Amino acid sequence: IYESCVVKQATKLPVGTIVEVSKKGVLVATGANCLLIEKLQFPNGKPLKVSDYLNGNNIDKSIALGKER
């Protein structure tokens, strides 16, 4: 994660769950509020704004980050 900000939004989803994906970023549930990930880097890739990444890729909503499948 390269850029993010706290969004004062409550959710009942488990911590680490993707709440919403938009051109603004990936909104992730935390203990009290949400974290909006605005810029990220995948392994062997370069840092990208989420809006740029979404131009050719999808990020599934409602998955939990950091959990093995």
Side-chain angles (χ1 to χ4, degrees):
I1 297 173
Y2 273 80
E3 291 179 18
S4 64
C5 65
V6 174
V7 175
K8 293 187 179 192
Q9 177 179 331
T11 180
K12 294 185 184 217
L13 293 172
V15 172
T17 301
I18 295 176
V19 176
E20 182 180 336
V21 178
S22 71
K23 293 287 184 178
K24 290 182 180 181
V26 178
L27 192 65
V28 180
T30 66
N33 295 301
C34 290
L35 180 72
L36 182 65
I37 301 170
E38 300 167 310
K39 190 173 187 180
L40 43 73
Q41 180 178 10
F42 290 95
N44 300 318
K46 63 181 180 177
L48 290 171
K49 289 184 178 183
V50 170
S51 59
D52 293 336
Y53 179 79
L54 291 175
N55 285 333
N57 300 283
N58 291 322
I59 298 175
D60 294 329
K61 184 177 152 185
S62 297
I63 63 169
L65 300 178
K67 294 205 176 193
E68 291 185 32
R69 296 178 190 209

